[in-house]
Amino acid sequence: MTDIAPRATRVVESTGGRRRHRGGGPRARTIAAFLTPFFLPFVLFYLVPVGYALWQSFLVVRRTGGQYGTSYTTFGGFEQYTKVFQNDEFWSSIGRIGLFGVVQVPVMLFVALIMALLLDTPLLKVKSFFRITAFMPYAVPGVIAAIMWSYLYSPQISPLVDGLKGVGLHPDFLGPGAVLWSAANVSTWLWTGYNMLIMFSALQSIPQELYEAAKLDGASNWKIAWQIKVPIIAPSIILTTVFSIIGTLQLYAEPAVLRQISSNISSTYTPNMLAYAVASGNNYQQAAAISVVIAVITFVLSFGFMRLTSKKAGL
Amino acid sequence: MALMLLLAIYFLLPVYFLVVAATKPQSDLASTNGLALSHFDLFSNLSTLFSRSDGIFLKWALNSVIYAVLGAAVGTLISALCGYALAKFRFRGREFLFSVILGGVLVPTTALALPLFLLFSATGIVNTYLAVFLPSIVSPFGVYLARIFASASVPEEILESARLDGAGEFRTFFSVAIRLMAPSLVTIFLFQFVAIWNNFFLPMVMLQKESLFPITLGLFEWNGQTARAPLLQESVITGSLVSIVPVIILFLLLQRFWRTGLASGALK
């Protein structure tokens, strides 16, 4: 190897005046050929729509000469955004999703963490059964999960409602106060196992010697879990939190399905449902502004959370 | 242990309910206990399901398979090319491109669907297979994984010796690198397959023609009609079961792969 390498470099260098990179890498044109198949659709179907939504959100439709005049589109500055922020439905959808996220995300991640820690101890048998059972919902589409649960919520069919009636309870899973939590339960069911596995995989990559050292110092299993394992897998916990925040703000399928059987979910229940409802009313510019606001909130929350926690965790 | 059992019941309950409900005649759905078997009618439920509206359910199932298999296959290939190049070639702007892709992971895909609809309606691809297929092939998360996998599983020495043998970069990629990356490519394929299979918002925004619907959208539409046509209920239930069982089986068979995928996703 050592004797061939310099000669090879010379051969490569002599193949023309083009600049070669360190280590005999390929030419710019070859690199571009590797990157283009991904970047072309990425630009067309990711970056262009983002730009297009931004552009649309600054436009307004006006009419000449009253309500029946011809309409024309013109630059409206921040007019669409002002409308978004003055829209009560927008704020109530944000409030709802905020409440949903503040409760659902910590509950789900806490359960996921407990499960991951339990799976990581030698105490538990039949690990693979629990791992697979918990991960199974990941293979179920959100719409189908919501349909399955909606049958379990519906008073006519549900064995759950029947069972609870048997012990004297009369739950109304679709009532005005409960339906948000019924939707939260569907999300929890879908994603706990996925998050659990991300944490579990991180736990498995911790070297065993660390625990042995801690045990020699007399640390209990409980102490090892909370003071050694949890801090080490902090990056995974942060990652799952960020994914969950993004997921919560995108909520659409679950409430849309529950809406089919509950009158307590409006067509503007979540920000995404609002954006879709506004777009269906042909007010694309307003829908674009709502989408942009949702995306910005998502960015701010996920980045904010990442920065805040990674500083604290000393990463 | 008791806690884990309780959780296992929680995760299994809806699927168990679905299996039981799919075996019952419509009339027994409301009148018998949801967790106990009654008349075994699974086969007649299946034949009703597949013959309803001229067999539209089968069409939806095929559409889902087309969107998910083709989309994930093309998506995995382009993610692999891009991730490999980002891992193995040194060039100016590499880190910048990578951070743009990472930014893409954070863009909510539902926020993309509406502007995409407007762009696609201007170009006339709305309400065609392409309207769902094209956006589905882009997976920034796939590139992120491919980059990690390529740096971990393709040693520099092998690339060097392939170059010395005079193989072009593409030849090296397709005959050497792609083999070394194969297990991780299965992972990327799986994750993208599930993402497309589960996608609902994009097809809902893009498609009006029922014959182009994937399973998720089709069952959603049927579910919305059950208030007026209660007899559809049994088909929604049986259809839901039919749509999830193959994917669950696929996942059981390919456990090894999604586990590595999750592990490397967590390394970050």
Side-chain angles (χ1 to χ4, degrees), chain B residues 4 8 115 134 138 149 167-168 182 218 222-223 266:
Chain B
M4 291 299 270
L134 288 177
V138 185
F149 292 143
W222 273 2
N223 196 46

PDB file of all heavy atoms in Angstrom, chain B residues 4 8 115 134 138 149 167-168 182 218 222-223 266:
ATOM      1  N   MET B   4     -45.481  -3.845  33.254  1.00  0.00           N
ATOM      2  CA  MET B   4     -45.207  -4.163  31.864  1.00  0.00           C
ATOM      3  C   MET B   4     -46.343  -4.976  31.251  1.00  0.00           C
ATOM      4  O   MET B   4     -46.698  -4.771  30.096  1.00  0.00           O
ATOM      5  CB  MET B   4     -43.902  -4.948  31.740  1.00  0.00           C
ATOM      6  CG  MET B   4     -42.670  -4.144  32.064  1.00  0.00           C
ATOM      7  SD  MET B   4     -42.446  -2.719  30.985  1.00  0.00           S
ATOM      8  CE  MET B   4     -41.496  -3.423  29.681  1.00  0.00           C
ATOM      9  N   ALA B   8     -48.517  -4.041  28.093  1.00  0.00           N
ATOM     10  CA  ALA B   8     -48.633  -4.951  26.950  1.00  0.00           C
ATOM     11  C   ALA B   8     -50.103  -5.131  26.568  1.00  0.00           C
ATOM     12  O   ALA B   8     -50.459  -5.128  25.389  1.00  0.00           O
ATOM     13  CB  ALA B   8     -47.991  -6.298  27.278  1.00  0.00           C
ATOM     14  N   PRO B 115     -48.954  24.152   0.195  1.00  0.00           N
ATOM     15  CA  PRO B 115     -48.262  24.832  -0.911  1.00  0.00           C
ATOM     16  C   PRO B 115     -47.944  23.895  -2.078  1.00  0.00           C
ATOM     17  O   PRO B 115     -48.017  24.301  -3.240  1.00  0.00           O
ATOM     18  CB  PRO B 115     -46.982  25.378  -0.278  1.00  0.00           C
ATOM     19  CG  PRO B 115     -46.906  24.818   1.081  1.00  0.00           C
ATOM     20  CD  PRO B 115     -48.260  24.362   1.478  1.00  0.00           C
ATOM     21  N   LEU B 134     -44.282  11.659  -6.139  1.00  0.00           N
ATOM     22  CA  LEU B 134     -43.093  12.524  -6.222  1.00  0.00           C
ATOM     23  C   LEU B 134     -42.650  13.093  -4.867  1.00  0.00           C
ATOM     24  O   LEU B 134     -41.486  12.962  -4.498  1.00  0.00           O
ATOM     25  CB  LEU B 134     -43.318  13.647  -7.244  1.00  0.00           C
ATOM     26  CG  LEU B 134     -43.305  13.200  -8.703  1.00  0.00           C
ATOM     27  CD1 LEU B 134     -43.613  14.371  -9.643  1.00  0.00           C
ATOM     28  CD2 LEU B 134     -41.954  12.583  -9.076  1.00  0.00           C
ATOM     29  N   VAL B 138     -38.773  12.006  -1.307  1.00  0.00           N
ATOM     30  CA  VAL B 138     -37.789  12.827  -0.602  1.00  0.00           C
ATOM     31  C   VAL B 138     -37.825  12.511   0.884  1.00  0.00           C
ATOM     32  O   VAL B 138     -38.843  12.702   1.536  1.00  0.00           O
ATOM     33  CB  VAL B 138     -38.081  14.324  -0.792  1.00  0.00           C
ATOM     34  CG1 VAL B 138     -36.977  15.158  -0.164  1.00  0.00           C
ATOM     35  CG2 VAL B 138     -38.234  14.651  -2.255  1.00  0.00           C
ATOM     36  N   PHE B 149     -24.648   5.601   8.209  1.00  0.00           N
ATOM     37  CA  PHE B 149     -24.365   4.218   7.849  1.00  0.00           C
ATOM     38  C   PHE B 149     -23.148   4.113   6.935  1.00  0.00           C
ATOM     39  O   PHE B 149     -22.327   3.221   7.079  1.00  0.00           O
ATOM     40  CB  PHE B 149     -25.572   3.590   7.150  1.00  0.00           C
ATOM     41  CG  PHE B 149     -26.758   3.404   8.047  1.00  0.00           C
ATOM     42  CD1 PHE B 149     -28.040   3.599   7.564  1.00  0.00           C
ATOM     43  CD2 PHE B 149     -26.599   3.031   9.375  1.00  0.00           C
ATOM     44  CE1 PHE B 149     -29.138   3.421   8.386  1.00  0.00           C
ATOM     45  CE2 PHE B 149     -27.692   2.852  10.205  1.00  0.00           C
ATOM     46  CZ  PHE B 149     -28.972   3.045   9.710  1.00  0.00           C
ATOM     47  N   ALA B 167     -11.797   1.600 -11.154  1.00  0.00           N
ATOM     48  CA  ALA B 167     -13.256   1.652 -11.180  1.00  0.00           C
ATOM     49  C   ALA B 167     -13.720   3.101 -11.017  1.00  0.00           C
ATOM     50  O   ALA B 167     -13.161   3.845 -10.231  1.00  0.00           O
ATOM     51  CB  ALA B 167     -13.826   0.796 -10.055  1.00  0.00           C
ATOM     52  N   GLY B 168     -14.738   3.467 -11.769  1.00  0.00           N
ATOM     53  CA  GLY B 168     -15.302   4.806 -11.619  1.00  0.00           C
ATOM     54  C   GLY B 168     -16.054   4.891 -10.314  1.00  0.00           C
ATOM     55  O   GLY B 168     -16.319   3.869  -9.665  1.00  0.00           O
ATOM     56  N   ALA B 182     -25.890  -2.593   2.526  1.00  0.00           N
ATOM     57  CA  ALA B 182     -27.194  -3.244   2.317  1.00  0.00           C
ATOM     58  C   ALA B 182     -28.104  -3.334   3.552  1.00  0.00           C
ATOM     59  O   ALA B 182     -29.264  -2.943   3.477  1.00  0.00           O
ATOM     60  CB  ALA B 182     -26.998  -4.621   1.694  1.00  0.00           C
ATOM     61  N   GLY B 218     -58.994   5.893   1.788  1.00  0.00           N
ATOM     62  CA  GLY B 218     -60.211   5.173   1.453  1.00  0.00           C
ATOM     63  C   GLY B 218     -61.008   4.791   2.696  1.00  0.00           C
ATOM     64  O   GLY B 218     -62.211   5.029   2.781  1.00  0.00           O
ATOM     65  N   TRP B 222     -64.790   5.932   3.989  1.00  0.00           N
ATOM     66  CA  TRP B 222     -65.829   4.972   4.367  1.00  0.00           C
ATOM     67  C   TRP B 222     -66.282   5.218   5.796  1.00  0.00           C
ATOM     68  O   TRP B 222     -67.468   5.202   6.100  1.00  0.00           O
ATOM     69  CB  TRP B 222     -65.300   3.537   4.248  1.00  0.00           C
ATOM     70  CG  TRP B 222     -65.457   2.964   2.876  1.00  0.00           C
ATOM     71  CD1 TRP B 222     -65.975   3.600   1.776  1.00  0.00           C
ATOM     72  CD2 TRP B 222     -65.103   1.640   2.458  1.00  0.00           C
ATOM     73  NE1 TRP B 222     -65.953   2.751   0.706  1.00  0.00           N
ATOM     74  CE2 TRP B 222     -65.429   1.550   1.092  1.00  0.00           C
ATOM     75  CE3 TRP B 222     -64.535   0.550   3.102  1.00  0.00           C
ATOM     76  CZ2 TRP B 222     -65.207   0.381   0.357  1.00  0.00           C
ATOM     77  CZ3 TRP B 222     -64.318  -0.602   2.380  1.00  0.00           C
ATOM     78  CH2 TRP B 222     -64.653  -0.688   1.005  1.00  0.00           C
ATOM     79  N   ASN B 223     -65.300   5.421   6.679  1.00  0.00           N
ATOM     80  CA  ASN B 223     -65.623   5.627   8.083  1.00  0.00           C
ATOM     81  C   ASN B 223     -66.554   6.836   8.252  1.00  0.00           C
ATOM     82  O   ASN B 223     -67.440   6.834   9.099  1.00  0.00           O
ATOM     83  CB  ASN B 223     -64.337   5.812   8.885  1.00  0.00           C
ATOM     84  CG  ASN B 223     -64.555   5.635  10.377  1.00  0.00           C
ATOM     85  OD1 ASN B 223     -65.216   4.690  10.797  1.00  0.00           O
ATOM     86  ND2 ASN B 223     -64.028   6.541  11.167  1.00  0.00           N
ATOM     87  N   ALA B 266     -30.545   7.046  17.314  1.00  0.00           N
ATOM     88  CA  ALA B 266     -30.395   7.544  18.662  1.00  0.00           C
ATOM     89  C   ALA B 266     -28.988   8.031  18.964  1.00  0.00           C
ATOM     90  O   ALA B 266     -28.776   8.778  19.892  1.00  0.00           O
ATOM     91  CB  ALA B 266     -30.783   6.455  19.651  1.00  0.00           C
TER      92      ALA B 266
END
